[in-house]
Amino acid sequence: MKHPTKTLRSAPRFRGDPATALVHTRAELTPARAAMPGSVAVVMTMGALHEGHRELLRAAREQADHVIATIFVNPLQFGPNEDFDRYPRTLDADVAVCAEAGVDLVFAPDRDEMYPSGEPMVRVNPGELGERLEGASRPGFFHGVLTVVLKLLQVTRPDLAFFGEKDYQQLTLVRRMVRDLDVPVRIVGVPTVREPDGLALSSRNRYLTPAERAAALTLSGALRAGAEAAAQGRDGEAVARAAFDSDAAKLDYLVLTDPDLGPPPAEGPARLLVAAWVGSTRLIDNVAVEVASST
Ligand code: PAF
């Protein structure tokens, strides 16, 4: 069902849908944003939208008067040997998803629009947390993520910004950035969407062959085993490692932390996170854990 038409006179409409506008430049974005009365939410994406993104858009739609979606494959967050060139680019389908989800405005800039002076000299430094977990395997990744997130917050000026818990370290760092740098926005985390067999949705799942898709279940299976064990007062991280039993998936890290990615608690809320290579595809996943005391 289409969302009811809204009036944003200053931006061009997307195709035949009067409720969703597609813009590519800041010059178009700024007046369209200024014409939005009430609260505004942003959902930042790199496109290749799936059910996980739809969930972000739904949550944003429910909690704000207007929703802006951004679609930009950010070169700054890809290492030299990563999948920037082969990352799926599906703008038409993505804009259709946004229109169906009742998004008011899609901002899809190109590289020159986002980085008119070339590579930015000044970047957001994620600090020590940006060097661990994903940051240890992907040097510079979170500098690139936080820099583009801050830029997109500046140009869209939202009241709320929605991020998936699937990228839990990213969500944690974005929360930290807005707190540390006094960015006036409320960050909302949205639970991970999974396939019925447990696989966390990701734009990168489309790289997987059927055999790799089967091997990818090792990640969610290990997390489930670890979370259950921790809830029974056993060593959740050790149980998850033992359950990560696959020749086809190569483990990068599997750790139990507190909810802020610090040392694991003896008892109470925690997070279990995993990253692994399945073929040439790097996958990540995580779950909330309630650690029971072992005594
Ligand atoms: O999660 C993503 O898709 C990206 O890291 C983000 C937040 C859109 C920044 O490029």
Side-chain angles (χ1 to χ4, degrees):
M1 200 185 71
K2 294 270 187 255
H3 194 79
T5 304
K6 269 180 246 81
T7 314
L8 279 177
R9 295 190 191 289
S10 47
R13 309 293 93 201
F14 165 62
R15 300 241 174 103
D17 191 322
T20 303
L22 170 62
V23 298
H24 297 284
T25 65
R26 282 166 224 234
E28 297 165 302
L29 171 69
T30 304
R33 165 64 185 92
M36 290 178 179
S39 60
V40 173
V42 69
V43 175
M44 298 177 191
T45 80
M46 298 206 298
L49 302 187
H50 50 64
E51 197 49 39
H53 296 109
R54 283 184 210 263
E55 195 57 34
L56 294 176
L57 296 171
R58 260 195 294 274
R61 183 67 275 163
E62 266 172 35
Q63 294 184 46
D65 297 320
H66 296 281
V67 179
I68 302 175
T70 69
I71 300 177
F72 177 61
V73 185
N74 174 35
L76 239 52
Q77 66 189 75
F78 287 79
N81 299 318
E82 294 186 348
D83 56 347
F84 176 71
D85 287 331
R86 78 163 174 150
Y87 199 85
R89 277 136 175 110
T90 55
L91 184 63
D92 286 350
D94 294 341
V95 178
V97 168
C98 290
E100 208 177 293
V103 169
D104 298 83
L105 188 65
V106 178
F107 177 50
D110 67 12
R111 186 183 189 138
D112 289 343
E113 184 65 26
M114 276 313 285
Y115 301 114
S117 317
E119 295 238 335
M121 187 174 73
V122 176
R123 299 179 192 211
V124 178
N125 183 343
E128 172 275 332
L129 177 52
E131 310 297 330
R132 290 194 274 124
L133 304 171
E134 283 306 285
S137 295
R138 308 181 66 187
F141 173 62
F142 286 117
H143 291 76
V145 169
L146 293 187
T147 301
V148 81
V149 168
L150 186 58
K151 281 170 72 72
L152 288 168
L153 289 172
Q154 306 277 35
V155 296
T156 58
R157 297 188 295 104
D159 302 289
L160 304 162
F162 290 73
F163 292 87
E165 289 184 353
K166 156 80 171 32
D167 297 304
Y168 191 79
Q169 191 177 6
Q170 168 175 283
L171 171 63
T172 305
L173 278 166
V174 169
R175 284 192 202 284
R176 215 31 226 260
M177 174 179 76
V178 304
R179 203 164 74 219
D180 288 354
L181 301 184
D182 294 318
V183 185
V185 63
R186 184 155 70 81
I187 302 301
V188 184
V190 176
T192 302
V193 179
R194 297 179 182 279
E195 302 273 10
D197 61 7
L199 183 69
L201 295 194
S202 161
S203 301
R204 291 189 166 100
N205 289 352
R206 63 182 75 190
Y207 299 152
L208 302 172
T209 65
E212 289 171 346
R213 163 79 181 64
L217 291 177
T218 311
L219 281 82
S220 53
L223 292 180
R224 215 169 28 244
E228 277 168 22
Q232 295 161 0
R234 293 187 288 141
D235 183 338
E237 186 178 307
V239 169
R241 278 179 189 283
F244 193 98
D245 180 20
S246 166
D247 293 336
K250 190 169 159 293
L251 186 63
D252 181 352
Y253 60 78
L254 202 168
V255 280
L256 184 68
T257 69
D258 74 7
D260 297 324
L261 299 176
E267 192 175 359
R271 208 86 197 175
L272 190 57
L273 303 100
V274 65
W277 288 95
V278 181
S280 59
T281 305
R282 183 185 165 77
L283 297 175
I284 58 173
D285 198 356
N286 70 89
V287 289
V289 172
E290 192 60 36
V291 177
S293 157
S294 54
T295 56

